Each structure stands twice: as C-alpha cells, then as structure tokens.
Amino acid sequence: MTKLVYFAWVRERIGKPEEEMELPGDVKTVRDLLSHLKTLGEGYEAALQYAEVIRVAINQEHVEHSETIGDAREIGIFPPMTGG
Amino acid sequence: MTTAPLIRVQAQDFDLQAEIDTLTQGRQDIGAVVTFTGLCRNEQGTLSALELEHYPGMAETEMRRIAELAIARFSLLGLSAIHRYGKIAPGENIVAVIAAAPHRQAAFDGASFMMDFLKTSAPFWKKEHGADGSTGDWVAAKDADDAARDKWR
C-alpha cells in the first residue's frame, strides 16, 4: 500500500486529503501514476486534467514526472507552490 | 564550525527582534544582518485573509535544504527562516528570513536566495478569502518567481 497525500486545489478537487492505495503493477513512474489516478473518477480527472503542471514529491522530496516510484511509502501530489 | 539554519513552520506570529537577537547573541564575528518580512496585503480592500496550507514535514525539510545551500554558497554565519500557516489577515506577517554574515553583500544575497527558492520549492499554498465573505481562488504561481529563482543558477 502506498500513502497518497493531496494539497490545495488538488486536495479539494479529489475531495480528500489523503488515502492508502494499492498501485497496479503497470504503474512504474510518476507519469503512470497520474494517468492511473485520472481514471478513478470525476474529481481525480478535474484535479489532474493538466497533469504537466502538477508537482509530485516521493517520501517528501520533489521528483520529476519521469521518476520511478519504486517502493515509495508516501507520494505527495499538489499544484505549483505559492508560499512566501 | 558549520552554521546550522534555524527553521520553523508555525501558526503563531513571530517577533523579528527576538529572532535577530537569537542569531547575534554573544557573537562578535557578525558584521551584517539582513531581514526580510513578507506580509499579507489587502489587495486594494478586496481581500480579508489569506489561508496558508502546507505539507507538514516536507515544508520544514525543504526550507532546511534551501537554507543549507544559502549558508554554503554565501558563507553565512547564521540563517533563520520562519513561515506561518493558517488564516492570516492583511497587515499580519507571513514569513521572515534573517541572514547574518561578516559583510553586507553576503547577508543581502543569502536572504534573497532563501526567499527566491522558498517561494518556488517550499510546499506552501495560498488561498484568498474575499472582503465580501466569499472564499476565493487559490493564488496562481507566477512566472516571475521562477525567473527570480533562475537568476541564481
């Protein structure tokens, strides 16, 4: 099981702050994961419609969409950051 | 001696003078302290509050990573970064960066570098609450912030 955590408008559109999920075997990279999540319902589709702008962190470290997920414990999915 | 950054992510306000004192107390090697404070604007009266969301754990880790880069690059003698979360009203503090160095240029550069990277890679997000009681939009990321970060490359 992998823990997925969502923030800001990604969280609002998916409708929950986090969830545990068994990822299908063919989900190898971050890009695969975002494509898979998009098939899970309207909220996911709305959140990830423009997947190229979505930022992802594996075990709380920023990664590119080409990154392999491996045995990630926690994957954070969120919009571009606007702090400061 | 390696300088360790002081990083805090908190709901409550901070006291800038107390933070400066923490960095400089008992030291005689610091010749320059630069502070940056980011405040909530009212956007010409249209905004009643900003709501700051963060990724607990990662926010601190990412701020620490950036701060360590700044300390190494500019040979800082001290660097503190404090970022608030939760609902923040116009006029209130959001973020503080305090950089200490032997001379001013390193302190200016260290504080500026810290803020440029914090804005684009520390996991914080702002949501606007309108003065008319509406819950507004999430603030959009700005290309200008990416450009400010990229000038350090």
Side-chain angles (χ1 to χ4, degrees):
Chain A
M1 295 286 269
T2 308
K3 183 181 179 185
L4 302 181
V5 291
Y6 310 123
F7 294 95
W9 50 257
V10 170
R11 170 180 58 72
E12 287 183 343
R13 290 176 192 176
I14 289 176
K16 51 188 135 184
E18 59 178 72
E19 60 187 320
E20 296 267 345
M21 197 181 284
E22 197 71 61
L23 301 179
D26 59 351
V27 171
K28 305 282 188 211
T29 64
V30 167
R31 191 170 288 117
D32 296 339
L33 172 66
L34 296 178
S35 303
H36 170 66
L37 290 174
K38 262 204 234 181
T39 67
L40 300 183
E42 272 181 30
Y44 293 92
E45 212 181 320
L48 306 172
Q49 186 181 4
Y50 302 103
E52 61 279 7
V53 307
I54 298 294
R55 306 300 173 93
V56 176
I58 293 182
N59 299 334
Q60 305 199 351
E61 270 185 46
H62 291 295
V63 294
E64 301 291 336
H65 287 196
S66 56
E67 186 78 18
T68 304
I69 290 171
D71 55 354
R73 298 178 305 279
E74 181 176 302
I75 303 178
I77 302 176
F78 41 81
M81 290 137 287
T82 56
Chain B
M1 195 183 80
T2 349
T3 302
L6 299 171
I7 303 297
R8 293 207 314 275
V9 175
Q10 61 190 38
Q12 71 269 29
D13 197 11
F14 46 80
D15 175 349
L16 197 57
Q17 188 58 53
E19 301 301 335
I20 295 170
D21 292 346
T22 300
L23 274 193
T24 57
Q25 215 162 42
R27 300 192 63 148
Q28 300 184 331
D29 53 346
I30 292 172
V33 173
V34 166
T35 71
F36 170 82
T37 313
L39 295 88
C40 176
R41 282 184 303 270
N42 73 355
E43 303 293 1
Q44 292 81 43
T46 61
L47 188 132
S48 68
L50 281 177
E51 195 169 337
L52 269 290
E53 180 170 332
H54 74 296
Y55 188 162
M58 183 175 171
E60 291 88 342
T61 305
E62 195 61 20
M63 284 168 70
R64 187 171 308 281
R65 187 184 67 79
I66 300 163
E68 285 169 353
L69 288 176
I71 289 168
R73 178 159 173 173
F74 304 105
S75 304
L76 301 179
L77 296 175
L79 182 59
S80 299
I82 304 157
H83 204 301
R84 295 179 65 197
Y85 62 87
K87 227 170 176 181
I88 295 178
E92 288 185 5
N93 294 324
I94 299 174
V95 61
V97 166
I98 303 131
H103 301 282
R104 73 180 185 284
Q105 198 58 51
F108 276 122
D109 288 347
S112 185
F113 177 100
M114 181 74 211
M115 276 309 300
D116 285 344
F117 279 85
L118 186 155
K119 284 193 84 87
T120 52
S121 70
F124 291 90
W125 302 271
K126 291 190 184 106
K127 186 178 203 170
E128 296 179 328
H129 289 267
D132 57 2
S134 63
T135 300
D137 292 327
W138 290 92
V139 172
K142 294 186 188 73
D143 290 343
D145 289 334
D146 286 340
R149 173 201 62 203
D150 291 344
K151 74 174 184 277
W152 297 104
R153 293 196 193 280

